[in-house]
Amino acid sequence: MTSHFLDPALPAQSPSDVSGSANDPALTLMTTPVRALVKREPISLPPQTTIRAAAQLMSEQRVSSILIVEQGLLFGLITDRDLRNRVIATGLDTGRPIMDIATLAPLSVDVDDPAFNALLLMARHNIHHVPVLDGQLVVGMITATDLTEQHSTSAVYLAGDIYKQSSVSGLQQASTKIKALQHSLASADASAYSTGHIITTITDAITSRLLQLGEAQLGPAPVDYVWVAAGSQARSEQTAKTDQDNCMLLDDSFDEKTHGAYFKSLSQFVCDGLDACGYIYCPGEMMAMTDTWRQPVSRWAEYFARWTGQPDPKALMLTCVFFDLRAIYGRSELLEKLRQDVLLRTKGNTLFLAHMVGNALTHFPPLSVFNRITTIRSGEHKGTIDLKHGGIVPIVDLARVHALSSGDDAVNTHDRLATSVAGAAIGEQSARDLRDALEFLAFLRIQHQTRQISNGQPPDNHMRLEEISNFERTQLKDAFTVVKSMQSVLGQRFRF
């Protein structure tokens, strides 16, 4: 009856593989095991204990929560919030058993998990207490206050504030704190990897809350569905500058005449709400509010079969968005089976992969024939380099091809490069070089955007070389050279 939670979007690699400064608070959490945060033996009670007795023990022990355990197995937990909201506020008889007010089968972490997993778990699910297990044995409890790196844990409190909002205008106000969160992470020299996960967690929270508000307004969904993030949100690689890419998978019992109006209204409400919160509408309309991207699972299966079987230019453009998917809210099982079916179609599909590589090679690092960094020559961004399309996007594309070729289900780019080595899709040194290049380029982008935020400017991806030191320019050229070299290797491997 225990529920050991492992979020599929949490970091999959060894913490020692993550690049970043030693001052990175989130990196500290990634290298610190949960066991280091457990400060005392678990305080637990059997399920039949009365609410009054539990409250007395919490007061005596000066704790804000108690685990419900029987025969060494975790059944649930109660918190001081439960006592306030489910007992005092409702006038419930305190002689009743604690199981009447408990959170059953709570989400948990393993004692050997990195503390960063606990941070993201709390932020994504709006919880402040997480049981710690060693296998099935309960060994303790950690709270948000145990995660002492305040730059990182602020994400937990911001997510909590988001879930308290009862209107779009409230969410809009809460979302204004995202730039400040990115600023604090950048000031602490947080790695791009951890910053991306933390900022994306807030996007997930806003999206989930909008769906909850939409359901409260429209009523329960008539059939099962799952709201799915695409693009950078799916990869957990967002920054304060982003648009929205999303879609909706509906159960195959969906009937357009009976259910269509409900899901059209719900998706419109959520996409409009995201736009109000600063996640602008996708210029290509790749959003759940677009009828094409709000379909039953069987229709989505037809989409992917066509895209992989007949990879024309439009199909390749769409696959760059919709091959990066992650469930945000609803029945995640609807997406899981579809993704497995898609990976079976792409693994070893050399014709499709060759087309994917050709599409990936449309974005090159800004290097001249003499291997010098070149800036944009005209237009609005004259004299700058596009860190996103000139460096980050090519790495994302390379990692996606490697993952699809090996049938790997990772979505985050760093994780894809790490797991592709195990699948022999890419050499260990090449994967490490690309991961380091990605971290450096993404870090530069975050620092650039943070400077813009500090100056009251809207963040973008176009940086002037004068913003960085000569040493950093050398590193930037090296990063671009790595990307260009890996593009050449992949082009040779999947040549038509």
Side-chain angles (χ1 to χ4, degrees), residues 364-402:
F364 283 100
L367 292 175
S368 69
V369 292
F370 301 107
N371 243 26
R372 294 178 180 174
I373 299 175
T374 59
T375 59
I376 298 173
R377 295 182 178 180
S378 61
E380 177 185 0
H381 302 294
K382 181 180 179 180
T384 69
I385 56 172
D386 186 340
L387 289 169
K388 179 179 178 181
H389 292 98
I392 296 172
V393 167
I395 300 176
V396 170
D397 289 342
L398 288 169
R400 184 185 299 112
V401 171
H402 285 304

Side-chain angles (χ1 to χ4, degrees), residues 49-296:
T49 306
T50 66
I51 295 171
R52 183 183 303 108
Q56 290 171 344
L57 181 61
M58 290 171 68
S59 177
E60 292 169 3
Q61 295 292 327
R62 297 183 179 181
V63 294
S64 59
S65 62
I66 281 185
L67 297 165
I68 303 174
V69 176
E70 188 164 59
Q71 296 182 345
L73 298 179
L74 176 65
F75 276 70
L77 66 84
I78 61 170
T79 67
D80 50 5
R81 182 189 300 181
D82 296 326
L83 294 175
R84 291 195 306 270
N85 297 343
R86 300 177 182 179
V87 180
I88 298 174
T90 62
L92 189 68
D93 180 6
T94 58
R96 298 181 67 86
I98 52 178
M99 289 294 281
D100 287 357
I101 64 167
T103 297
L104 303 180
L107 303 175
S108 63
V109 292
D110 188 83
V111 69
D112 292 320
D113 283 348
F116 190 62
N117 285 27
L119 163 68
L120 292 185
L121 181 64
M122 291 179 186
R124 284 179 177 150
H125 296 274
N126 189 30
I127 55 177
H128 285 201
H129 301 80
V130 177
V132 179
L133 304 182
D134 186 354
Q136 290 191 321
L137 179 66
V138 181
V139 296
M141 173 86 81
I142 58 173
T143 68
T145 55
D146 292 325
L147 301 171
T148 55
E149 304 292 346
Q150 291 303 313
H151 289 294
S152 295
T153 56
S154 62
V156 178
Y157 297 104
L158 177 52
D161 185 42
I162 286 166
Y163 282 108
K164 292 175 184 176
Q165 302 306 316
S166 58
S167 65
V168 173
S169 60
L171 288 174
Q172 187 176 14
Q173 180 62 34
S175 70
T176 61
K177 300 174 184 177
I178 296 173
K179 290 180 180 178
L181 175 60
Q182 178 167 312
H183 190 285
S184 67
L185 289 166
S187 298
D189 286 336
S191 66
Y193 180 90
S194 54
T195 297
H197 275 82
I198 291 170
I199 296 298
T200 303
T201 290
I202 303 305
T203 308
D204 293 352
I206 292 173
T207 305
S208 296
R209 188 56 182 154
L210 282 168
L211 284 158
Q212 292 170 351
L213 294 176
E215 289 182 356
Q217 178 178 303
L218 299 170
V223 299
D224 287 338
Y225 75 93
V226 59
W227 185 277
V228 177
S232 61
Q233 184 183 359
R235 298 191 303 271
S236 295
E237 294 170 1
Q238 287 192 311
T239 66
K241 162 69 175 177
T242 188
D243 59 3
Q244 55 175 295
D245 293 307
N246 48 62
C247 59
M248 188 180 282
L249 276 64
L250 310 172
D251 187 86
D252 281 334
S253 61
F254 170 81
D255 176 73
E256 175 61 36
K257 290 183 180 179
T258 308
H259 311 132
Y262 176 91
F263 287 107
K264 186 175 184 66
S265 297
L266 179 62
S267 60
Q268 187 77 51
F269 176 84
V270 175
C271 290
D272 288 348
L274 287 170
D275 181 69
C277 291
Y279 304 95
I280 61 174
Y281 297 118
C282 173
E285 298 186 346
M286 296 180 194
M287 299 172 288
M289 62 185 279
T290 305
D291 293 346
T292 306
W293 311 128
R294 187 182 64 256
Q295 295 291 331

